[in-house]
Amino acid sequence: MSAYSQQPALLDPLPLSPPKKEDELPVALQDIVTAAITEEVLGTVLERHVQAHKPKEPRVVALTADSISIYYLQPVREYWYLPLKQTHTIRIAPLLPVLPVDASETETAKWVAEIKDRITRFTETKDAPVDRFIPPNHWGDWSGVAVFMGFTLLIAAYLLGVGVVEQFVFTTERRFNIAVAVHCGVLIKRSKDVNEMKDLLDKHWSGDSKGRYLWVITSWIEGWRAVSRLRREIARLNLLIAAAEEETAKGTKKESKKKR
């Protein structure tokens, strides 16, 4: 097990709410920060941490010590999945500098430059290796498992001739056919989730084959919930790695100063 996965989940990446209007940066400052950070960098943050798909016109609307809020336009993929206008707040590590309320023009320029440097370095953090399987850990996860497995078992029981199911659940052949059609549709959607899971595992998995199989199996059963859980773990480890790299860089700077 890696050192990163052993550390406590002090940096929890999700969920974070979009900022309130009063917490947003002044529009002029939004323009300055957004212009300083390249669109490519902001796009990378969105794609890696909120699964945005080729985001357009990203704009920094708020900053705190441990997060960045980005507004962007999402090209249409699936209306029910990502509407056009999006604002997401993403956890950042290590902590960002906070601009004083009465900052001068010089202080503001220095702050913007440091924000640009920190966010850029954050996107350059190497993809985190995941080496453990995380089972369903929320009632929503378990309810999804129960519904899918229950539905599957009812169909299997009917096909095996279990009288109770035929008598009280699928009382007509038409009702059974509708259930099978719905279940097939769910499985088609699950296949997309499984493919996404396999892509993530190919990129990030460093554990044993048992853990990998468990991730794939749960993606068949849970679908997007399992994929989301893996993405959350990757994001958490990325935060830990980014924080550790910053501490290492600080230590190196101190050592170089001592030698001088």
Side-chain angles (χ1 to χ4, degrees):
M1 183 175 288
S2 70
Y4 294 114
S5 61
Q6 292 176 13
Q7 296 186 47
L10 299 176
L11 298 170
D12 194 2
L14 296 173
L16 293 175
S17 302
K20 297 178 181 178
K21 199 68 180 175
E22 59 268 25
D23 295 329
E24 294 183 0
L25 296 172
V27 174
L29 193 53
Q30 290 182 23
D31 292 339
I32 294 172
V33 175
T34 301
I37 306 173
T38 67
E39 185 171 334
E40 181 182 2
V41 167
L42 292 177
T44 300
V45 173
L46 290 168
E47 289 175 351
R48 288 182 65 176
H49 296 276
V50 296
Q51 295 82 62
H53 179 66
K54 298 180 180 179
K56 302 295 182 184
E57 301 178 25
R59 179 182 181 85
V60 178
V61 296
L63 284 164
T64 66
D66 63 354
S67 69
I68 180 172
S69 298
I70 306 174
Y71 166 86
Y72 65 99
L73 298 179
Q74 173 61 63
V76 177
R77 259 196 314 175
E78 300 170 347
Y79 281 112
W80 58 89
Y81 179 53
L82 284 176
L84 289 176
K85 294 182 179 180
Q86 294 283 310
T87 299
H88 283 287
T89 300
I90 299 160
R91 189 78 73 193
I92 296 291
L95 295 180
L96 299 172
V98 177
L99 182 67
V101 177
D102 55 348
S104 65
E105 187 174 333
T106 302
E107 289 174 325
T108 300
K110 183 179 179 181
W111 175 78
V112 171
E114 189 168 355
I115 289 293
K116 174 189 175 182
D117 181 58
R118 290 291 189 88
I119 300 299
T120 301
R121 276 188 289 164
F122 182 67
T123 62
E124 294 171 350
T125 301
K126 295 179 180 179
D127 290 325
V130 179
D131 60 4
R132 64 171 181 153
F133 168 71
I134 303 174
N137 51 22
H138 184 266
W139 68 265
D141 297 339
W142 285 112
S143 64
V145 172
V147 170
F148 180 82
M149 293 303 297
F151 205 48
T152 303
L153 291 173
L154 283 173
I155 291 174
Y158 181 86
L159 292 172
L160 293 172
V162 178
V164 175
V165 176
E166 186 175 349
Q167 185 177 356
F168 294 102
V169 182
F170 300 129
T171 54
T172 65
E173 186 176 350
R174 180 172 180 272
R175 179 175 290 188
F176 174 73
N177 290 337
I178 291 174
V180 170
V182 171
H183 199 50
C184 287
V186 171
L187 289 174
I188 290 172
K189 175 60 174 69
R190 288 285 194 274
S191 67
K192 294 181 180 179
D193 296 324
V194 171
N195 286 334
E196 184 176 358
M197 175 65 79
K198 288 179 178 177
D199 289 342
L200 288 171
L201 291 171
D202 287 342
K203 188 175 182 181
H204 297 277
W205 185 250
S206 63
D208 57 22
S209 57
K210 178 183 175 182
R212 184 185 179 94
Y213 289 142
L214 285 172
W215 276 116
V216 175
I217 291 169
T218 53
S219 64
W220 271 115
I221 299 172
E222 294 184 78
W224 65 270
R225 290 183 184 278
V227 175
S228 178
R229 198 161 59 248
L230 178 58
R231 284 191 176 280
R232 181 171 179 170
E233 177 66 3
I234 292 168
R236 185 184 72 83
L237 293 176
N238 276 338
L239 289 171
L240 290 171
I241 290 173
E245 287 180 349
E246 181 70 14
E247 288 301 315
T248 301
K250 286 181 180 178
T252 303
K253 287 181 181 178
K254 287 181 181 180
E255 286 298 322
S256 62
K257 286 182 179 179
K258 287 179 180 180
K259 291 179 180 179
R260 291 175 186 176

